[in-house]
């Protein structure tokens, strides 16, 4: 069932797309990605078969040395038990330009919805103060790379410092509710809906410096949503043919009568992530990529407590991507909770049959007890996904 809100949004999205298509110049670059997938999943009681289609239209401005623009529209259509659901999105919509200060120095500004990658890490990244250290909720393990791709509405300024460093400042304002675009009866569906206060904004800065093989990135973010100062430090280096990296973050609350002590802050409000990545040639036109990441939450449980929703102190993320040729990719990824001995394992392959046309198939299985974070005989404990992706 397609709701009134979705219908209005679809009309808006289609109108924007047609307008761009009709009025864009010949140099405008348009990339379209269409996916059609079928998922078979165990719900804990029975097998559920779900259809899934997603189309993404990515409009990029003509190449220009000083100004760039991008608009990305996405429509996801789900078929669950014969009922269609349409979910429109705008993952990216921004203007990026260089602002001249002198003849020899320019800084870059990005305004709109985009992604900034703070810290270092693929799935676990404690230095990512904008989107969080734990990317499990947003990760897409069917992609050969870039399993995280969260975006947000922001304004950022990028200031180069020499040849190997930069300073980046960012502001993330809260978005006000828009009357008439929310489902009837939900908070904010009123012309009198309150506009978020300035104090609910987020703003921060990071400094990135590379000295030889070592990169250092301290970062700070004020999170007005919960009145918290967030600090992070990320380190990265290359050694013995591998990339080694680590990040740590600390949240310091303000505006309370009882400020936590240093020991409590480190235990309850800190995160540490670390990882190693290597890419090796294992024969003619064959590549093996391997990664191992860890996320440490000192305030989490350090012994099995027998709850599926337990917040444990250690998670691991192993990853192997084998490319035996130019058109075939084999992917294996997992999230491991070693404290309670459970894991979720994802494996599959993609085959680029023609240029831009790819067939893919993946399977997901959870192993563990009934009271573990991951385990058998629950919703999503076994799933098979197969379909096609076409980029044109």
């Amino acid at each position: 069932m397609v709701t009134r809100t979705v219908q209005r949004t679809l009309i808006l999205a289609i109108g924007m797309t047609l307008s761009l298509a009709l009025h864009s110049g010949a140099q405008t670059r348009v990339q379209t990605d269409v996916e059609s997938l079928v998922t078979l999943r165990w719900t804990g009681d029975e097998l559920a078969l779900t259809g899934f289609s997603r189309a993404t239209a990515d409009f990029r401005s003509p190449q220009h040395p000083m100004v760039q623009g991008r608009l990305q529209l996405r429509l996801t259509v789900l078929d669950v038990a014969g009922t269609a659901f349409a979910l429109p999105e705008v993952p990216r919509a921004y203007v990026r330009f260089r602002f001249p200060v002198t003849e020899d120095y320019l800084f870059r500004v990005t305004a709109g919805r985009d992604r900034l990658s703070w810290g270092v890490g693929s799935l676990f990244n404690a230095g990512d103060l904008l989107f969080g250290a734990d990317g499990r909720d947003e990760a897409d393990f069917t992609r050969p790379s870039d399993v995280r791709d969260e975006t947000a509405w922001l304004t950022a300024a990028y200031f180069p410092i020499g040849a190997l460093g930069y300073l980046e400042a960012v502001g993330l304002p809260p978005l006000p509710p828009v009357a008439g675009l929310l489902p009837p009866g939900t908070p904010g569906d009123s012309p009198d809906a309150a506009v978020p206060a300035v104090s609910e904004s987020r703003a921060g800065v990071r400094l990135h410096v590379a000295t030889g093989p070592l990169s250092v990135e301290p970062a700070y973010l004020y999170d007005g949503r919960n009145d918290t100062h967030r600090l992070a430090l990320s380190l990265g280096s290359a050694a013995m043919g591998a990339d080694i990296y680590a990040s740590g973050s600390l949240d310091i609350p303000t505006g309370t009568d009882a400020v936590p002590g240093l020991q409590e802050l480190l235990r309850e409000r800190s995160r540490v992530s670390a990882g190693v990545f290597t890419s090796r040639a294992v024969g003619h036109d064959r590549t093996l990529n391997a990664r191992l990441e860890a996320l440490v939450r000192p305030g989490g449980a350090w012994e099995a407590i027998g709850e599926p929703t337990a917040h444990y102190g250690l998670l691991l993320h192993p990853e192997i991507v084998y490319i035996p040729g130019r058109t075939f990719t084999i992917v294996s990824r997992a999230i491991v909770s070693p404290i309670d001995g459970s894991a979720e394992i994802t494996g599959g392959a993609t085959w680029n049959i023609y240029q831009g046309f790819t067939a893919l198939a993946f399977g997901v299985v959870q192993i563990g007890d009934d009271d573990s974070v991951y385990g058998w005989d629950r919703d999503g404990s076994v799933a098979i996904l197969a379909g096609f992706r076409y980029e044109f």
Side-chain angles (χ1 to χ4, degrees):
M1 178 178 180
V2 180
T3 66
R4 183 183 61 181
T5 301
V6 170
Q7 290 176 343
R8 284 197 291 254
T9 310
L10 285 175
I11 293 172
L12 177 62
I14 293 172
M16 292 175 62
T17 303
L18 291 176
S19 177
L20 284 168
L22 292 173
H23 297 92
S24 60
Q27 295 180 339
T28 300
R29 297 168 292 168
V30 181
Q31 176 73 51
T32 305
D33 183 327
V34 179
E35 291 179 295
S36 180
L37 307 171
V38 174
T39 301
L40 182 66
R41 188 182 84 253
W42 176 250
T43 65
D45 298 318
E46 59 182 0
L47 288 173
L49 186 64
T50 304
F52 172 89
S53 296
R54 179 168 58 191
T56 303
D58 199 343
F59 299 87
R60 298 172 186 257
S61 64
Q63 293 184 352
H64 191 282
M66 301 298 288
V67 182
Q68 296 178 357
R70 184 177 181 184
L71 172 62
Q72 192 176 73
L73 304 175
R74 179 174 297 155
L75 179 65
T76 302
V77 180
L78 301 174
D79 184 2
V80 181
T83 303
F85 296 87
L87 305 174
E89 299 176 76
V90 184
R92 285 176 171 83
Y94 64 79
V95 176
R96 182 177 296 161
F97 60 91
R98 289 187 172 94
F99 192 89
V101 178
T102 66
E103 292 184 359
D104 299 325
Y105 186 83
L106 300 90
F107 70 90
R108 188 179 69 209
V109 176
T110 300
R113 187 176 182 91
D114 196 15
R115 174 168 179 81
L116 295 182
S117 299
W118 284 22
V120 189
S122 176
L123 180 68
F124 298 140
N125 180 1
D128 191 344
L129 301 182
L130 305 180
F131 301 105
D134 187 346
R136 288 179 294 169
D137 292 339
E138 301 293 335
D140 183 356
F141 281 1
T142 68
R143 298 284 180 173
S145 60
D146 298 329
V147 299
R148 296 182 64 173
D149 191 32
E150 304 102 315
T151 60
W153 294 99
L154 53 85
T155 299
Y158 178 99
F159 302 90
I161 302 176
L164 300 175
Y166 58 84
L167 179 74
E168 185 174 55
V170 62
L172 299 94
L175 297 180
V178 180
L181 291 182
L182 297 175
T186 58
D189 186 36
S190 168
D192 299 326
V195 176
V198 174
S199 59
E200 297 180 30
S201 301
R202 293 183 292 162
V205 63
R206 67 166 170 166
L207 174 65
H208 184 95
V209 178
T211 57
L214 179 66
S215 64
V216 181
E217 183 180 298
Y220 164 78
L221 183 80
Y222 172 72
D223 191 342
R225 299 172 303 182
N226 50 22
D227 199 12
T228 300
H229 298 283
R230 309 190 64 195
L231 307 173
L233 178 63
S234 301
L235 304 173
S237 184
M240 298 180 292
D243 294 330
I244 303 172
Y245 50 90
S247 298
S249 63
L250 180 65
D251 295 350
I252 304 176
T254 60
T256 59
D257 295 334
V259 178
L262 179 60
Q263 184 175 358
E264 182 180 350
L265 279 175
L266 294 176
R267 183 180 67 251
E268 302 295 337
R269 297 180 175 272
S270 66
R271 300 287 186 273
V272 177
S273 65
V276 57
F277 171 80
T278 183
S279 180
R280 307 277 182 173
V282 292
H284 177 67
D285 208 21
R286 299 177 182 177
T287 305
L288 180 66
N289 299 330
R291 183 189 306 271
L292 177 62
E293 291 185 342
L295 176 64
V296 178
R297 299 176 287 196
W302 288 92
E303 59 181 17
I305 59 177
E307 294 181 7
T309 58
H311 187 84
Y312 287 112
L314 177 64
L315 292 173
L316 301 176
H317 169 53
E319 172 190 84
I320 295 178
V321 179
Y322 178 51
I323 308 174
R326 296 184 179 181
T327 63
F328 203 72
T329 302
I330 300 173
V331 179
S332 177
R333 295 185 172 104
I335 302 173
V336 182
S337 177
I339 295 175
D340 66 359
S342 66
E344 181 180 79
I345 302 171
T346 301
T350 66
W351 179 22
N352 185 202
I353 303 173
Y354 308 114
Q355 182 177 2
F357 179 63
T358 301
L360 57 94
F362 282 84
V364 181
V365 61
Q366 295 185 17
I367 57 175
D369 299 328
D370 292 340
D371 55 2
S372 300
V373 174
Y374 304 104
W376 293 104
D377 203 25
R378 65 178 68 175
D379 188 15
S381 60
V382 178
I384 298 174
L385 178 150
F388 303 94
R389 179 184 298 138
Y390 186 36
E391 300 177 358
F392 57 94

